[in-house]
Amino acid sequence: MPSIRLTLVNNAKQTQRSAVILKFDPEATSADAIGDIITLAKNKLRLKKAKTLYLNHGVEFTDPAWLLSGKVAQDSQIFVSCGEGYVGQIKDDTTSSPTPTGSNEAGEGTDTKDSDITDKLRLDSLSLEPEFSASIAILAKRSYVDPDANSQLNRTAMLPGMRRVVGQPDLHPGNQYPIGATFITQKYIYPPLIGNDIGCGMAVYKTRLSSEIKPQKIVDKLHQLEGKWTEGDPHAFLISKLGPEHSETGKAHLDQLGTLGGGNHFAEFVIIEQLVDTALCTEMNLTMEKTYLIVHSGSRKFGQTVLETSNKMQTKAEKKLVGLDASSDTGKAYLQQHDAACAWARTNRELIAHRVLGRLNAEQDAVKLLDIWHNNVEQKLIPSIDPEQPCWIHRKGAAPSDRGLVVIPGSRGHFSYLVMPEGDQDKNGFSLAHGAGRLLPRAKALVKRPVASKQGSIAALQTTDLGSTVICEDSDLLFEEQPGAYKEITDIISDLGPFIKVIAILRPICTYKMRNEQNDHRK
């Protein structure tokens, strides 16, 4: 008689669990097999009213055939309920301070909360595939992964058309969907997986500034960067970068073009701490004598508008599914606006760089080394999935690994890494971590003080352990984004080892987040 090792978990109190060995008859009825597990749960977990079993992605376990098919594998966790809903659904409904769906930590911004949209897209109301069709991989070995993120990843893997799900080492929970992940589908696209900050990403510039520049000089010059760009015409700048065909693209949000936004968006000056691959650094003209600028921002409220518009256009059936048939009118309309938001976001980073470098008289001769999106969807032929039909790669806080050089920033006060993808990128979903990834939710980070007094804490967070300066005149944001709220970047890089070659290590010298000047358009 076959047997299988299982871990029974109290659905309402997850710290209570018990390992069991279940012997089962392949020809048994559903009541027999499920009843045996419930009996074990009553005895081992002392749950007298145990009545329902869930797999760890929230689907009710009712079919004993799953024990043979591999859907319930060796050492699977079975959540035992006394009548309450699956714990993952309960947490979605009760989390006091969720990360917004459009956010994208350590590469995610929190410009606008689209909870009004996500409330209509609860995971427990989705139309899910009856069979587990997507493969799941989590690339984290040294990096900590919150169980909630794992649960969200598993649930998302069951969406119709999902073929492959990859959690990066910076994986952490979002409001409904995990952040730091790649989702590969066929036929369907899923706007909520990308969120509201469409096109959010990072750009890196080599500047003419000497690496010997005093950080205080940068601090003194970085003023009047909040609010609408008034030293030029944002509309003309947009058209100059994208062409006249984009004259109406995001026109309603031009007051935000050239602004960072909130969350973990930033503009950071760095120098090269170490040239790791000297040959490639020489080829790319990377030198330790110059200062570099990293800009991280997205499409601001324009991306939010695109997501809201797409939601309004969907039929009732599409809203229940959450996904859109990419070939449908609604799907095509979303993709067109999505691409426009990505282009707008890239232009936004260019204008931010223009404003920041202009303050230091350093725009001349500045060279853009890279500009990548980590919140987007794109089509790609992946032969290992289907040699003929292209797939859709959704990146939710994940950097592309099929476009050359990538920057993976640490939190403020930690090193960042320039890397070149290598190895079999199919295994990691053609994506890499986009940063360190949150370790603490914002609400917990907000109350975590490095020293006793608030003023002392603020001062402590404005200077990092690496000697760099952080310009952030919003005390709440400063605490939310403190280095201790993020994972250890060296663990992230270690976990990505098979997929990257480190080119250079970057040391921060000044990070700009926001000042209380002019009109604040972050919200």
Side-chain angles (χ1 to χ4, degrees):
M1 184 176 292
S3 64
I4 186 171
R5 297 185 306 273
L6 300 173
T7 297
L8 304 183
V9 183
N10 183 342
N11 181 61
K13 186 180 180 181
Q14 291 189 23
T15 55
Q16 184 183 9
R17 54 186 61 206
S18 178
V20 300
I21 296 179
L22 174 71
K23 294 182 178 181
F24 62 94
D25 182 353
E27 304 299 325
T29 65
S30 174
D32 291 335
I34 302 304
D36 287 346
I37 298 177
I38 289 177
T39 298
L40 284 170
K42 288 179 177 179
N43 294 333
K44 297 292 185 179
L45 300 178
R46 298 183 180 180
L47 296 176
K48 295 181 180 180
K49 296 182 180 181
K51 58 194 300 186
T52 308
L53 306 176
Y54 293 103
L55 304 184
N56 67 354
H57 39 67
V59 170
E60 187 175 346
F61 178 22
T62 58
D63 188 349
W66 292 350
L67 295 167
L68 290 175
S69 68
K71 189 169 184 178
V72 178
Q74 289 285 350
D75 299 312
S76 289
Q77 291 185 355
I78 305 297
F79 290 78
V80 184
S81 165
C82 294
E84 75 280 357
Y86 171 59
V87 69
Q89 297 172 9
I90 293 173
K91 288 188 177 182
D92 282 342
D93 290 336
T94 61
T95 300
S96 61
S97 183
T99 302
T101 294
S103 68
N104 180 24
E105 300 285 4
E108 86 250 27
T110 54
D111 290 342
T112 44
K113 294 185 178 181
D114 52 350
S115 57
D116 56 326
I117 295 177
T118 56
D119 283 346
K120 302 173 184 177
L121 307 178
R122 310 302 302 182
L123 280 175
D124 55 3
S125 67
L126 301 187
S127 172
L128 299 175
E129 289 278 18
E131 294 300 328
F132 202 60
S133 58
S135 65
I136 302 176
I138 299 180
L139 306 182
K141 293 182 179 179
R142 296 183 58 177
S143 303
Y144 171 76
V145 174
D146 190 304
D148 285 351
N150 185 50
S151 178
Q152 288 180 345
L153 198 73
N154 289 332
R155 285 283 285 165
T156 309
M158 298 190 72
L159 292 170
M162 196 66 67
R163 294 294 171 258
R164 185 177 299 167
V165 173
V166 180
Q168 298 295 329
D170 59 338
L171 181 71
H172 57 282
N175 188 32
Q176 290 292 303
Y177 306 99
I179 299 161
T182 304
F183 309 96
I184 302 178
T185 65
Q186 285 187 296
K187 184 179 178 181
Y188 295 106
I189 54 174
Y190 288 90
L193 289 185
I194 303 156
N196 62 346
D197 201 5
I198 303 167
C200 185
M202 298 187 192
V204 178
Y205 294 81
K206 179 183 178 182
T207 80
R208 58 191 281 184
L209 297 174
S210 167
S211 59
E212 300 295 325
I213 188 172
K214 301 297 183 183
Q216 190 59 45
K217 180 178 180 180
I218 298 176
V219 174
D220 292 342
K221 294 287 187 180
L222 294 186
H223 287 275
Q224 305 302 315
L225 295 172
E226 302 297 323
K228 183 178 180 179
W229 181 46
T230 58
E231 299 164 27
D233 182 350
H235 192 223
F237 187 90
L238 183 75
I239 294 175
S240 72
K241 298 296 180 180
L242 301 183
E245 65 273 19
H246 283 275
S247 61
E248 298 301 315
T249 299
K251 194 173 181 179
H253 306 293
L254 286 174
D255 61 334
Q256 294 193 323
L257 192 69
T259 62
L260 282 168
N264 62 359
H265 290 161
F266 62 85
E268 183 170 86
F269 283 98
V270 299
I271 58 176
I272 294 181
E273 175 78 2
Q274 181 183 354
L275 298 170
V276 180
D277 188 319
T278 53
L280 197 50
C281 285
T282 299
E283 181 182 328
M284 294 187 294
N285 199 25
L286 299 177
T287 170
M288 298 180 74
E289 283 69 50
K290 297 298 181 182
T291 295
Y292 299 78
L293 172 65
I294 303 174
V295 176
H296 170 213
S297 191
S299 55
R300 309 292 274 111
K301 286 187 178 179
F302 180 31
Q304 172 77 11
T305 299
V306 172
L307 186 60
E308 290 175 346
T309 301
S310 173
N311 187 59
K312 291 175 182 177
M313 290 176 61
Q314 293 173 30
T315 64
K316 289 184 178 180
E318 287 173 332
K319 287 182 179 179
K320 183 178 180 180
L321 179 66
V322 182
L324 301 174
D325 186 329
S327 63
S328 69
D329 290 343
T330 309
K332 290 177 180 178
Y334 171 77
L335 287 171
Q336 183 179 20
Q337 286 300 299
H338 162 280
D339 292 349
C342 285
W344 198 99
R346 176 168 286 176
T347 305
N348 183 41
R349 289 189 286 275
E350 291 192 41
L351 185 51
I352 291 169
H354 172 81
R355 297 180 74 177
V356 170
L357 293 175
R359 294 289 181 269
L360 291 154
N361 193 28
E363 187 173 16
Q364 183 180 353
D365 301 328
V367 177
K368 185 192 293 186
L369 300 177
L370 65 92
D371 190 312
I372 53 175
W373 299 303
H374 53 231
N375 274 17
N376 72 323
V377 60
E378 61 185 17
Q379 201 170 33
K380 185 180 182 69
L381 184 67
I382 304 176
S384 63
I385 295 178
D386 191 326
E388 298 180 356
Q389 182 67 34
C391 297
W392 292 97
I393 299 181
H394 301 67
R395 294 188 175 97
K396 175 75 167 175
S401 63
D402 52 1
R403 282 176 175 72
L405 197 64
V406 173
V407 62
I408 304 178
S411 62
R412 311 298 75 75
H414 289 137
F415 294 113
S416 295
Y417 290 76
L418 276 177
V419 305
M420 187 66 75
E422 68 173 10
D424 185 1
Q425 298 298 309
D426 184 89
K427 293 182 178 179
N428 58 321
F430 303 93
S431 306
L432 300 171
H434 72 319
R438 290 201 74 90
L439 184 62
L440 296 178
R442 292 183 180 276
K444 289 185 178 180
L446 190 60
V447 297
K448 183 180 179 182
R449 312 291 190 188
V451 294
S453 72
K454 182 174 181 179
Q455 286 306 117
S457 298
I458 291 174
L461 292 176
Q462 288 173 334
T463 302
T464 74
D465 290 343
L466 293 179
S468 64
T469 300
V470 178
I471 302 172
C472 182
E473 295 179 354
D474 180 326
S475 61
D476 285 353
L477 184 59
L478 189 65
F479 288 120
E480 289 174 356
E481 291 296 305
Q482 61 183 288
Y486 286 87
K487 301 182 188 183
E488 174 55 58
I489 188 63
T490 54
D491 290 343
I492 303 292
I493 298 300
S494 175
D495 285 341
L496 291 174
F499 308 109
I500 61 171
K501 174 189 290 186
V502 176
I503 305 304
I505 300 175
L506 310 175
R507 172 188 286 269
I509 58 174
C510 181
T511 305
Y512 182 94
K513 294 192 68 65
M514 65 84 61
R515 288 190 188 271
N516 292 320
E517 299 175 331
Q518 287 192 0
N519 296 321
D520 189 352
H521 289 270
R522 294 180 304 119
K523 297 179 179 180

